[in-house]
Structure formats: C-alpha cells, structure tokens
Amino acid sequence: MNGSGRARPQIRLTVAAGYASYMLPRLSFNLGDTLASRRFIRLAEDHASQTDDVVLTASAGEMVTTLAFYGRRYQEAAVSARSVMPRAPGRR
C-alpha cells in the first residue's frame, strides 16, 4: 500500500483539528482575551492552509478581521476582509 491511503484520514483529522483550533480564539475573544485569541487563530490558519478547507479558511480569516476591527486597526481589518472574500464558501 502506498502512502495515499493515509492522506485522506490525515486531511480529515487536520480539518477537525482546525475547527477545534478555530473555536479557541473565538472563545478567547468572547472572554476578552484578545492576545490569546491572536495566538490561537494562527494555529487555525495553519490547519486551514494545510487542508485548503474553504469554510475553515474563511472562518479563520473572519476571525483575523474581527480581531483587527475590534483592535481599532481598521485598515488592517479592511485588507483582511478583502483577502478572505474570494476564498469564502459560495464565492467563485
């Protein structure tokens, strides 16, 4: 058996880990800990880039945009939102 048999389960596991790691920055943000939220979102972005999952990619991008906006970095938020839009589900 070649290595391709493991690829699909590994991708599914990475996607699941990505969704779990997306919830950590969301929870941290809701609890007011934006520093932890910024740290955790990088992990979700890493998982998203490894799997090319569009929902995870868009969700992580949305969280980056949210953090920038609430951090009063409006230009960064606008740039982030524009960069996420083409990757969002339902967009072609």
Side-chain angles (χ1 to χ4, degrees):
M1 178 174 174
N2 62 14
S4 65
R6 291 185 176 195
R8 190 169 183 90
Q10 183 174 355
I11 289 172
R12 287 196 311 234
L13 182 60
T14 303
V15 168
Y19 284 118
S21 63
Y22 166 75
M23 295 310 295
L24 290 170
R26 175 60 60 194
L27 177 63
S28 297
F29 177 79
N30 289 341
L31 294 174
D33 190 351
T34 56
L35 179 60
S37 186
R38 284 194 305 268
R39 289 179 182 161
F40 286 132
I41 198 60
R42 299 297 172 232
L43 182 60
E45 288 179 315
D46 287 345
H47 289 305
S49 70
Q50 292 173 21
T51 62
D52 293 328
D53 184 86
V54 292
V55 174
L56 180 57
T57 300
S59 297
E62 170 271 328
M63 190 68 217
V64 170
T65 301
T66 298
L67 288 165
F69 181 83
Y70 281 95
R72 298 180 185 201
R73 297 182 315 276
Y74 302 117
Q75 185 65 33
E76 181 183 333
V79 168
S80 177
R82 278 192 294 272
S83 72
V84 170
M85 277 199 48
R87 297 176 284 170
R91 303 274 306 179
R92 306 248 183 235

